[in-house]
Amino acid sequence: MDTFDAGAGSILRQPKAVWATAGASVVAFMGIGLVDPILPSIAKGLDANASQVSLLFTSYFLITALAMLVTGFVSSRIGGRKTLLLGLAFVVVFAGLAGTSDTVGQLVGYRAGWGLGNALFVSTALAVIVGAAAGGSAAAILLYESALGLGMACGPLVGALLGDASWRYPFFGTAFLMAIGFLCIAVFLKEQPKPARRTSLLDPVRALGHGGLASAAVSAFFYNYTFFTVLAFTPFVLNMTPYKSGAVFFAWGVLLAVFSVLVAPRMQRRFGSLKVLGGSLVLLAADVLVLGYGDHTTAIVCTVLSGAFIGVNNTVYTELALGVSDAPRPVASAGYNFVRWFAAAAAQYFAPKIEEWTDIHVPFVVAAVTAVLGAVVVLVRRRALTHRAQELEPAHATEDSVAVFAD
């Protein structure tokens, strides 16, 4: 509450450069869930099955994971503004090409290029906003968090609205919006000073040698498998029109944003980070299990409800990742995300494969198990996860939350 109130008065009084970067950030985060409601339409349009179409997410997140080792290396050498523009250029080109695809293979390849561009942009945007913002970092962070939540919530909705006419339109729409973002940043954002120290490609990997950071990353790996099973596999289970599927995931995104920004910090102050995370992971496991075995209405309710648990987990994992490591925040964040984004790629590949090998329920059983495994790692490694401090201050918690999710 303190962080929110501190930034509320000045969040709207920002330079044009900040608004340009924040606006482009909304579109960048929209890209994560944009294809969610149109996955069945893509499968039908390209005569593909769920396993083939799921590679859209696999390629995207695999490249995103690998790019975590590259983004700091690039931005510390060419500067934040050029890194943002490079990332946006990649997204514009590859999102536009994705809309012209005639085969799933082409679409998967273009989506991988899109992932590289998105990683370059998103991992740099927070630092640029904080550096250019007026009113202190609290207002800048709140603005960035708002962009994150708005993008995650609106991505499925925009995908549904454009995808109802054709599955190609969401890709063209993203390319158009990101082109506008490119022009705005090119015009309004001036280059900021480069970091005093250049980041090497291996710095994030070396940071994982810290036991606390490695524990947080491993637990987050299991959690992210659950998270992205819900995000990318559930649309095939719901089997709804793009409009209806988009509405479901819009509600999911709203809960994710609200619980990440407003609810999680309050729960942490009252119960402590580890208890909140462990409880949330177990509840997420139960929710996913009911989602997999419930009727259609139950599946919709559980899909939306999962956004609350995912929002809490995102915030708490971020604090754990950065609160236990001695490495600089950008380096620790890159190492942590390098591990956890591989789970996102794995979930998209294995969930439909598991369905093919067994039945439609088992992928959710696996997702429930991985959520529990994440909680077990937190329990077993609780001392390593609290090595430096039991809790972060609320303002620090909010700042770190945005930094890690962005990276």
Side-chain angles (χ1 to χ4, degrees):
M1 186 67 175
D2 298 337
T3 303
F4 184 85
D5 290 341
S10 57
I11 186 174
L12 298 179
R13 298 191 297 271
Q14 298 295 336
K16 293 179 180 179
V18 173
W19 286 115
T21 307
S25 297
V26 172
V27 183
F29 286 117
M30 282 170 51
I32 295 177
L34 184 77
V35 301
D36 231 36
I38 59 172
L39 286 175
S41 299
I42 294 174
K44 183 178 180 180
L46 295 179
D47 192 25
N49 57 34
S51 180
Q52 291 173 315
V53 173
S54 70
L55 292 175
L56 292 175
F57 280 101
T58 301
S59 61
Y60 182 88
F61 289 120
L62 183 60
I63 294 301
T64 298
L66 294 172
M68 290 302 112
L69 302 179
V70 177
T71 53
F73 178 88
V74 173
S75 63
S76 64
R77 285 163 173 76
I78 68 174
R81 180 177 180 272
K82 292 179 181 177
T83 303
L84 290 179
L85 292 175
L86 179 63
L88 288 171
F90 269 99
V91 174
V92 170
V93 170
F94 285 103
L97 288 173
T100 67
S101 301
D102 295 320
T103 66
V104 173
Q106 290 178 355
L107 189 54
V108 168
Y110 295 143
R111 180 76 166 163
W114 183 349
L116 174 60
N118 216 46
L120 288 169
F121 175 83
V122 172
S123 64
T124 310
L126 175 64
V128 171
I129 289 178
V130 171
S137 61
I141 291 165
L142 182 59
L143 180 63
Y144 189 83
E145 284 184 335
S146 302
L148 185 156
L150 184 61
M152 290 292 288
C154 291
L157 192 61
V158 172
L161 293 174
L162 296 177
D164 188 61
S166 170
W167 65 264
R168 299 179 186 273
Y169 290 170
F171 297 108
F172 293 140
T174 298
F176 176 75
L177 291 174
M178 289 304 249
I180 294 176
F182 182 96
L183 293 175
C184 289
I185 289 177
V187 172
F188 296 119
L189 180 64
K190 297 180 179 180
E191 186 59 83
Q192 296 178 308
K194 297 178 182 179
R197 177 181 176 276
R198 291 184 174 184
T199 301
S200 76
L201 292 175
L202 294 180
D203 281 349
V205 177
R206 295 190 184 103
L208 291 170
H210 186 281
L213 182 61
S215 300
V218 170
S219 180
F221 176 91
F222 289 122
Y223 154 66
N224 271 266
Y225 185 96
T226 307
F227 174 4
F228 287 97
T229 296
V230 173
L231 183 63
F233 185 67
T234 303
F236 292 103
V237 177
L238 297 179
N239 194 26
M240 303 165 72
T241 65
Y243 276 122
K244 292 180 179 179
S245 183
V248 169
F249 278 95
F250 174 75
W252 169 86
V254 169
L255 274 187
L256 186 154
V258 169
F259 274 74
S260 177
V261 176
L262 301 178
V263 178
R266 290 166 173 77
M267 294 179 65
Q268 289 173 271
R269 286 194 292 268
R270 182 171 181 179
F271 301 108
S273 293
L274 297 186
K275 290 182 180 179
V276 169
L277 181 59
S280 181
L281 285 168
V282 172
L283 290 173
L284 177 61
D287 178 82
V288 170
L289 201 59
V290 174
L291 191 164
Y293 282 92
D295 58 22
H296 192 260
T297 301
T298 302
I300 292 174
V301 173
C302 288
T303 299
V304 174
L305 184 60
S306 69
F309 305 125
I310 289 170
V312 170
N313 293 338
N314 285 345
T315 295
V316 181
Y317 267 118
T318 298
E319 293 190 21
L320 291 179
L322 298 189
V324 300
S325 175
D326 296 319
R329 285 181 178 178
V331 174
S333 173
Y336 165 77
N337 283 283
F338 172 69
V339 174
R340 74 169 188 141
W341 284 118
F342 274 112
Q348 319 315 314
Y349 178 79
F350 284 111
K353 287 292 185 182
I354 292 171
E355 182 202 8
E356 293 176 6
W357 299 333
T358 55
D359 59 49
I360 200 169
H361 306 296
V362 177
F364 294 99
V365 175
V366 175
V369 170
T370 56
V372 172
L373 287 175
V376 170
V377 173
V378 171
L379 176 63
V380 172
R381 298 288 295 168
R382 60 188 180 278
R383 291 190 178 182
L385 290 170
T386 55
H387 175 66
R388 287 183 60 192
Q390 293 294 324
E391 300 291 342
L392 297 176
E393 292 297 321
H396 293 166
T398 304
E399 180 177 354
D400 289 346
S401 171
V402 181
V404 169
F405 196 87
D407 287 339

